[in-house]
Amino acid sequence: MTKKPVWLFDEMKCSGVDFSCVEEVAAYDSMHQKLRDYARTSEAIIRRLSLDSASTVIDLGCGTGAFALHAAHKCRTIYAVDVSEAMLEYCKKQAEHKGISNIMYCHSGLLTYEHSGEPADAAVCFAVLHHLPDFWKQVALKRCFGMLKPGGRLMLFDIVFPSGTDSLEEVIDAWINSVGTMANDRLAQEGIIHVRNEFSTYDWIMEGLIKRSGFDISSAEYSNGVQATYVCTKR
Ligand SMILES: C[S@@+](CC[C@H](N)C(=O)[O-])C[C@H]1O[C@@H](n2cnc3c(N)ncnc32)[C@H](O)[C@@H]1O
């Protein structure tokens, strides 16, 4: 989609938590770092995407820079894309504080970002795609495909519901409880909002959307009931 149709999904209005709110952004890292070690997770992504000092990477929905700030030390250029100006501003301040100057900040989104540099070696989309309904997830994945070099890789992490269980309610409740135990009640409440109001989908739909966007799924890992990590390769 090069021209913006009038019916384009308004990705600037985020579902769920209001990431345009400066207070939400300021609280983000301290809460989410209880769920994951940013450095360790970023290192795993760098390794699985085979990134090195020559690599260019697009971080779609970069947030506070959980991945971008770490990857900037290991890669040539990071394009940090987010619909939230507050998130980008926060990420930029952190980068300045750390003396990082190879991050390009792009106030845009999965459905609107136009990558004008050379096709990238890789893209990362960590806990972002669920902000779009399924039809738009496919549009976003196809757009991402178009931003990458042949053989380029995408790391996709999100909350994805398992289709092969008769006890989905229990799986969801267990996940929300685990978030509450690992982090706090506030993040558990966000888990509830996530399931109720956001657009996480089934595993078979996600896999279908990825493949129909032109990617091969090099690996699909499901953990903690509803967490999915896909490493995808551009055919
Ligand atoms: C749960 S946070 C994840 C942030 C980051 N990737 C991380 O690993 O912590 C979701 C982020 O996606 C951004 N976002 C939501 N919808 C988006 C879209 N359509 N395009 C790009 N970013 C989006 C939000 O502003 C927010 O920064």
Side-chain angles (χ1 to χ4, degrees):
M1 263 174 224
T2 45
K3 269 207 311 197
K4 287 184 195 162
V6 289
W7 39 260
L8 184 72
F9 183 81
D10 185 0
E11 61 181 348
M12 293 293 160
K13 284 189 197 148
C14 253
S15 59
V17 176
D18 180 8
F19 290 121
S20 66
C21 168
V22 174
E23 289 75 30
E24 285 291 350
V25 172
Y28 186 90
D29 283 344
S30 64
M31 286 201 296
H32 282 259
Q33 278 174 315
K34 293 193 169 97
L35 296 181
R36 64 186 146 123
D37 180 324
Y38 282 1
R40 226 176 45 213
T41 308
S42 300
E43 272 307 310
I45 295 172
I46 287 168
R47 198 174 54 250
R48 300 194 65 181
L49 295 180
S50 308
L51 301 176
D52 59 26
S53 58
S55 305
T56 56
V57 187
I58 307 171
D59 188 1
L60 293 161
C62 63
T64 55
F67 172 73
L69 292 168
H70 191 88
H73 292 297
K74 310 282 171 123
C75 302
R76 183 153 61 95
T77 308
I78 311 294
Y79 294 87
V81 180
D82 206 290
V83 293
S84 160
E85 281 187 290
M87 280 294 197
L88 285 174
E89 198 48 42
Y90 187 94
C91 181
K92 199 173 185 174
K93 283 225 171 79
Q94 298 291 311
E96 280 166 8
H97 183 67
K98 292 171 193 276
I100 293 169
S101 58
N102 57 340
I103 300 181
M104 307 294 137
Y105 303 92
C106 315
H107 181 222
S108 195
L110 291 163
L111 303 176
T112 45
Y113 172 63
E114 298 290 346
H115 185 64
S116 52
E118 289 285 299
D121 295 292
V124 172
C125 190
F126 199 102
V128 184
L129 202 60
H130 67 268
H131 286 289
L132 299 179
D134 288 355
F135 168 75
W136 294 106
K137 284 188 185 74
Q138 177 88 86
V139 174
L141 286 166
K142 283 187 175 168
R143 295 186 85 256
C144 176
F145 181 90
M147 296 169 202
L148 299 177
K149 291 177 178 165
R153 296 186 131 200
L154 164 67
M155 163 71 78
L156 187 59
F157 169 89
D158 223 313
I159 300 304
V160 170
F161 300 121
S163 53
T165 175
D166 292 330
S167 53
L168 194 51
E169 277 184 39
E170 283 168 30
V171 171
I172 290 171
D173 284 342
W175 169 62
I176 291 167
N177 287 337
S178 78
V179 169
T181 308
M182 286 170 75
N184 53 29
D185 192 49
R186 178 167 165 189
L187 215 50
Q189 287 301 318
E190 288 185 14
I192 293 170
I193 293 170
H194 183 113
V195 179
R196 192 170 55 206
N197 300 350
E198 303 188 41
F199 302 106
S200 275
T201 192
Y202 280 107
D203 46 13
W204 61 273
I205 296 178
M206 276 298 290
E207 292 190 14
L209 292 173
I210 294 168
K211 287 180 197 156
R212 283 167 178 77
S213 302
F215 289 103
D216 286 326
I217 298 179
S218 307
S219 76
E221 286 165 20
Y222 296 96
S223 60
N224 202 13
V226 295
Q227 293 176 185
T229 307
Y230 305 99
V231 178
C232 317
T233 308
K234 178 169 175 164
R235 263 178 236 138

